[in-house]
Amino acid sequence: MEQIRETQKKYCSLAITLAIFAGIAFFLLGLKPVGKGLILGTIFSILNFILMGETLPMKIGQPKNKTMALSLLSIFFRYGLMAIPLIAAIKLEQFNIPATVCGLFMVQLVILADGIIRLIFNSTQKKTA
């Protein structure tokens, strides 16, 4: 469980930091709805990622039918949670829809970028050795 929390802290901290800096840049460029949408989506992306980590241990060691039920409930709840910023972006002009969608994928993008950076860094280390 401790490793899950460390992973969550690492990726969520980086995701919100990137979203805040990008949001500030968009604010300074006069694109407030884009900045707000990105930050809103990122907050819900982080909540989704944390919920995944919290429900994972509940599924371990359970009977197959109980694991399936917990998994489905978790998915439906998390999708419902992710619908909130999308509905807000559609209904309110203060949030940009594409930026909100990008924010919803911010944690995944950070994880992907981290993997790519590690791959590049490891391959350059092997060449110099």
Side-chain angles (χ1 to χ4, degrees):
M1 188 66 178
E2 186 63 31
Q3 284 182 325
I4 293 172
R5 293 204 196 281
E6 286 178 28
T7 302
Q8 288 173 332
K9 184 177 180 182
K10 173 185 173 182
Y11 291 126
C12 293
S13 297
L14 189 53
I16 196 66
T17 301
L18 290 172
I20 288 171
F21 280 113
I24 290 170
F26 285 121
F27 282 140
L28 293 174
L29 293 171
L31 300 169
K32 288 183 181 181
V34 175
K36 287 180 182 181
L38 186 64
I39 293 170
L40 177 69
T42 301
I43 290 169
F44 279 85
S45 177
I46 289 169
L47 288 173
N48 181 46
F49 190 62
I50 290 170
L51 282 173
M52 275 194 294
E54 293 299 316
T55 59
L56 189 62
M58 294 177 6
K59 298 172 192 169
I60 297 172
Q62 299 292 331
K64 188 176 182 178
N65 59 350
K66 189 172 182 179
T67 301
M68 182 63 100
L70 284 171
S71 295
L72 285 173
L73 281 171
S74 172
I75 288 169
F76 287 133
F77 182 74
R78 290 185 303 106
Y79 283 178
L81 184 71
M82 292 177 71
I84 294 170
L86 290 174
I87 293 168
I90 291 168
K91 297 277 186 185
L92 305 171
E93 290 184 18
Q94 64 190 36
F95 300 110
N96 180 274
I97 297 170
T100 304
V101 171
C102 288
L104 284 172
F105 288 101
M106 185 63 82
V107 172
Q108 292 91 330
L109 292 170
V110 166
I111 293 169
L112 182 63
D114 182 56
I116 291 170
I117 290 168
R118 286 175 187 251
L119 183 67
I120 292 169
F121 184 71
N122 287 340
S123 67
T124 57
Q125 288 249 334
K126 289 178 183 177
K127 288 179 183 178
T128 59

